[in-house]
Amino acid sequence: MPNRLAEATSPYLLQHAGNPVDWHPWGEEAFAEARRREVPVLLSVGYSACHWCHVMAHESFEDPTTAQMMNTGFVNIKVDREERPDVDAVHMEATQAMTGQGGWPMTVFLTPEGAPFYCGTYFPREQFQRLLTGVQRAWSEERDGVVEQGRRVVDALSGSRSFGRGNAPGPDVLDEAVDALSREYDDANGGFGGAPKFPPSMLLSFLLAQHARTGAERGRMMAEHTAEAMARGGVYDQLGGGFARYSVDSRWVVPHFEKMLYDNALLVRAYTRLWRASGDPLAKRVALETADWMVADLRTDEGGFASALDADTEGEEGRYYVWTPGELHSALGEDDGAWAADLFGVTHEGTFEHGYSVLRLPEDPADSARYERVRASLLSARAKRVRPDRDDKVVAAWNGLAVAGLAEAGALFDRPDLVERARETADLITRVHVSGDRLARTSRDGRAGTSAGVLEDYADVAEGLLALHAVTGEPERVELAGRLLGTVLDRFGDGEGGFFDTADDSEALFNRPQDPTDASTPSGRFAAAGALLWYAGLTGSARHRQAADEALAVAVPLAGKAPRAAGWGLAVAETLLSGPLEIAVVGPEDDPATAELHRTALLEAPFGTAVTRGRPGGASAVPLLEDRGLVDGEPAAYVCQGFSCRLPVTSAEGLREQIAQTRA
């Protein structure tokens, strides 16, 4: 019989709908049932692309004996961490406090009042059964002590979290961050720290921006070396494009094979910016291949982007992606098979498990035509394999990141189809996720989920809308971004210049989450700062600019001690140092001269420049465009800082000169 997850919209929850475990979704009903039965709550948190979540599901949650133990002694709750990041965050903090580590699946035992008293992650079946027995015995025989343990945990995690007021990092602090990153840099392999090694997409944007401001070569080198090492390693899908979640080794050879929307959306933008700064053809190829992979494999029928592809197929991690020399020979023939094995580093010993190898591309082949033919043949052969499952829920924040990445890549690489995909995604968010000034966190099949948007949803959607506006000039994108950012200021503020991760009217948990640090995506606080600053550049709003400045204050102590946790905040702080720059391009939409000025602004201006375009005239929905007219009947560009503008220019060369002068 299906359990209570059968009506869920989360694909992860639906994967557990047929378990013999009597799962409840997160909600008051489950806790009321625990109080009625006088039993603890067993909370299991994971996500659909999580390898060890699948392992624990197969070992324990599909096992009738284990399920009976769970059903008899507990009320069981299953949560998709991607759907409820707030529930995940507060219980992960408890797990890390109790065990010194975290991860998924996360297993938390709670009192019926919701206080965590025992936490862990993955447990093999026999160990998990012993744990169930032990917790049930403790609850029966030592309940007062268990309840007291939960109360102490809640008290310890519910204290004040003041980060103090302040202002954004200045030039010296930003340069100090580069020095700190340099000490953690892997000069041999690229990236920061050792294994496992994650793509540092947010740090790449910061390092490129810092180099543009200072000319310092160390930051540029770290960004370029890391980007190339990742693109040539196994963490990048050499056949289909797109990046895996992380590398299990320090050399980018063997990935953890799940492919996430948020990683790839951020990396499309990072590689586009790298090409913009350096003209590197590899950066252009990777940006476009990754964008095309997103559209081909993650785009939904409604115009949004699915969350992820699983790591596993046919019960094996990475099976869809790895090869043996024999498989290459079968797909390509002996000559091309041997050539491909040498090119991609496929050996009889293997670089992965059981003699399989992950494809890498240490250097571009001299015979590009043969390479393209072999690659196409291997991609065709791989398409016959069992494909990884897809989590097709649409997460607002990650789709906002996708809008920004696709819009910028589409504009700079002259790919109007990518801009159109960005527009369609923004339209879906507007149509399905937005209700008034509020956002739903997720949707599926064009139907909004019940989870309220968190700070990163508002911030990343606003960022995506503003990036799309910079490319298309559509004023409605700015209007909606302003509404969402108004909600950020009115509902998420902490009273000290920072933000909570949930709104003031969201479901109350035992602690209101507030994490200012970057993880796999920009922190909600830093993402909000970036969007607020961009909006201020288009509108002249002092309130938004001040909020951005104050929100970045927490990056000051992080810059020297933990810069890897503040990459997006440091990148936004670099933007703040430039004003940010504001450029308004006015002219007929179909005039080539207008298009040339607009493209020059997108290509040459510092990262974070507030670019807008529109027809000449008086009033405008975008204040930066108001009263900007043609010059002697010709399209013109206005370069401004703080809405104080230089004389307008009518040529691309004149615009480049003015932009260069602002850097001096």
Side-chain angles (χ1 to χ4, degrees), residues 276 470 530 533-540 545 572-584 600-612 624 637-646 654-664:
R276 185 178 177 271
L533 187 61
W534 199 334
Y535 184 78
L538 292 172
T539 64
R545 180 187 172 86
V572 175
E574 287 284 355
T575 295
L576 188 62
L577 288 182
S578 70
L581 204 63
E582 306 141 3
I583 301 178
T600 300
L602 295 174
L603 275 171
E604 303 290 340
F607 298 142
T609 296
V611 175
T612 187
L624 185 59
Y638 295 77
V639 178
C640 317
Q641 286 176 295
F643 269 54
S644 176
C645 303
R646 298 167 181 254
L655 179 55
R656 277 191 286 270
E657 290 177 1
Q658 284 201 358
I659 291 171
Q661 290 167 8
T662 66
R663 295 180 183 271

Side-chain angles (χ1 to χ4, degrees), residues 327-338:
E327 288 176 331
L328 293 181
H329 293 164
S330 296
L332 301 170
E334 290 299 318
D335 288 345
D336 279 349

